[in-house]
Amino acid sequence: MSRRASDLCSLFVSFIYLWVLTPSAGDDLTTLAPLPKFLKTDTNVTFNKGEEAKLQCAIENIGTRTVVWRRSSDPNPLTIGTTTYFRDKRLYVYHEKLSLEWNLHIRNVSLEDAGVYECQISSKTRSIRHNVLLRVEDAPFRPTFKPDIKISGPSYVEKGNALRLVCNATGDGYPPDGIDWFKDGHKITQDDRLHIQIVMSIVERTIISSLYIKRAKMTDAGTYVCRTSDLQITSTKVVILDTRTNNEKRDMNDDKPKGSGAGTTCASWQDIVCVTLFAVILILNPR
């Protein structure tokens, strides 16, 4: 076989390889990039009529993809990213920069809002979605100032990103005198990388403490406890994701040299195609 014929054959084989094995440009889910993954959040939530409903959706490896919320019974989107497309000002998506959570909020939730909602990643496939069932109780919501304490903040944070937790405590007749933070049973104190800020409101009988870590480390993962001077207590669990390490492992695996057997198979397959093409040419153009 001449060198020119060999080059043409190799070019043809390369074209067939790319045509068969390379994913289409629109299918962003078959690339070597890490696939999006929904993290564990509540899939069954109940709120009283008049409350602000919160439907959680946390996604890892979202990349440049867009998050869409919609009712499973309606193909039209409610929100795309953080933009609300449904004509209802009660709905909005709360997403902090670099956070993994894209939570749908519904103010003044009504009985008609009950149903299954879908958090979906924009793609040609419909398989990347996360359903949340919202139940709405008929009992009207009446704000009260009974003693209460709660922590808000992300449950999942990527390594190197900021972590911010907020503890909001309401006292009985007056705000608690103070708030302490604990992690895995040990009291937290401020340092160069961890800051705590406290704001108190006499009128609303509340005290709010914010815990802020500018760059989260793997050791920041754990159970965070917020406790007031009145011994009100609550906790939340934070998971730190080392996505860079996973990507590096993937890249290392991709860069590993193939074994001799794999190389031989590829070469043999290419030779067979070349010989077959050459035989067809001889049959069609006998001399």
Side-chain angles (χ1 to χ4, degrees):
M1 185 184 297
S2 67
R3 180 176 180 181
R4 177 179 176 80
S6 178
D7 292 342
L8 290 174
C9 181
S10 298
L11 181 62
F12 176 79
V13 171
S14 299
F15 172 78
I16 293 297
Y17 178 82
L18 292 173
W19 179 64
V20 174
L21 298 182
T22 301
S24 63
D27 190 359
D28 55 0
L29 301 176
T30 55
T31 62
L32 291 178
L35 296 179
K37 175 184 176 183
F38 288 104
L39 303 175
K40 186 177 180 181
T41 54
D42 291 335
T43 58
N44 193 330
V45 294
T46 303
F47 293 89
N48 289 328
K49 183 173 64 175
E51 284 187 296
E52 179 167 328
K54 175 183 175 183
L55 283 62
Q56 291 182 292
C57 182
I59 309 169
E60 182 183 6
N61 300 326
I62 188 174
T64 58
R65 302 173 183 88
T66 304
V67 176
V68 177
W69 274 99
R70 70 180 190 89
R71 299 193 71 154
S72 60
S73 59
D74 186 353
N76 298 313
L78 298 173
T79 63
I80 299 178
T82 56
T83 303
T84 302
Y85 283 82
F86 190 67
R87 293 183 178 180
D88 192 338
K89 295 182 179 181
R90 299 178 306 132
L91 278 69
Y92 69 97
V93 167
Y94 181 76
H95 170 72
E96 291 187 357
K97 187 177 181 181
L98 302 179
S99 169
L100 304 180
E101 298 187 30
W102 299 77
N103 300 326
L104 177 67
H105 290 248
I106 307 176
R107 301 186 185 94
N108 192 25
V109 67
S110 66
L111 298 178
E112 291 74 19
D113 294 321
V116 178
Y117 289 76
E118 179 182 295
C119 176
Q120 179 184 334
I121 300 174
S122 59
S123 172
K124 289 187 175 180
T125 178
R126 297 278 298 178
S127 61
I128 303 185
R129 55 186 175 180
H130 168 77
N131 289 336
V132 180
L133 173 61
L134 170 63
R135 290 189 172 93
V136 181
E137 300 286 347
D138 195 18
F141 171 69
R142 293 184 177 88
T144 61
F145 291 99
K146 65 180 181 180
D148 187 27
I149 186 170
K150 60 183 179 180
I151 293 179
S152 60
S155 300
Y156 301 91
V157 177
E158 291 186 5
K159 177 183 175 182
N161 290 347
L163 167 62
R164 183 172 182 265
L165 300 176
V166 177
C167 181
N168 190 323
T170 303
D172 183 11
Y174 55 89
D177 293 330
I179 284 183
D180 290 321
W181 285 93
F182 299 82
K183 176 182 173 292
D184 297 331
H186 301 283
K187 187 175 180 179
I188 298 175
T189 56
Q190 296 193 74
D191 54 30
D192 293 339
R193 57 181 295 272
L194 187 151
H195 302 278
I196 297 175
Q197 183 179 19
I198 297 178
V199 177
M200 185 180 298
S201 172
I202 302 297
V203 175
E204 297 182 357
R205 302 190 286 275
T206 61
I207 183 171
I208 300 174
S209 178
S210 301
L211 184 151
Y212 179 78
I213 300 176
K214 186 174 182 180
R215 296 182 182 276
K217 299 180 180 179
M218 298 303 296
T219 54
D220 292 321
T223 300
Y224 288 78
V225 173
C226 172
R227 187 185 69 183
T228 69
S229 55
D230 297 338
L231 300 184
Q232 295 171 272
I233 188 168
T234 187
S235 65
T236 186
K237 186 175 182 180
V238 175
V239 177
I240 307 298
L241 303 172
D242 193 359
T243 55
R244 184 174 61 179
T245 299
N246 294 333
N247 294 342
E248 289 175 354
K249 288 181 180 179
R250 179 185 292 267
D251 294 339
M252 289 176 63
N253 291 332
D254 293 340
D255 293 339
K256 286 182 180 179
K258 306 298 181 182
S260 57
T264 302
T265 301
C266 180
S268 300
W269 174 70
Q270 193 176 40
D271 291 341
I272 292 172
V273 174
C274 290
V275 172
T276 302
L277 288 174
F278 185 70
V280 172
I281 293 172
L282 290 179
I283 292 172
L284 297 178
N285 298 282
R287 294 189 178 182

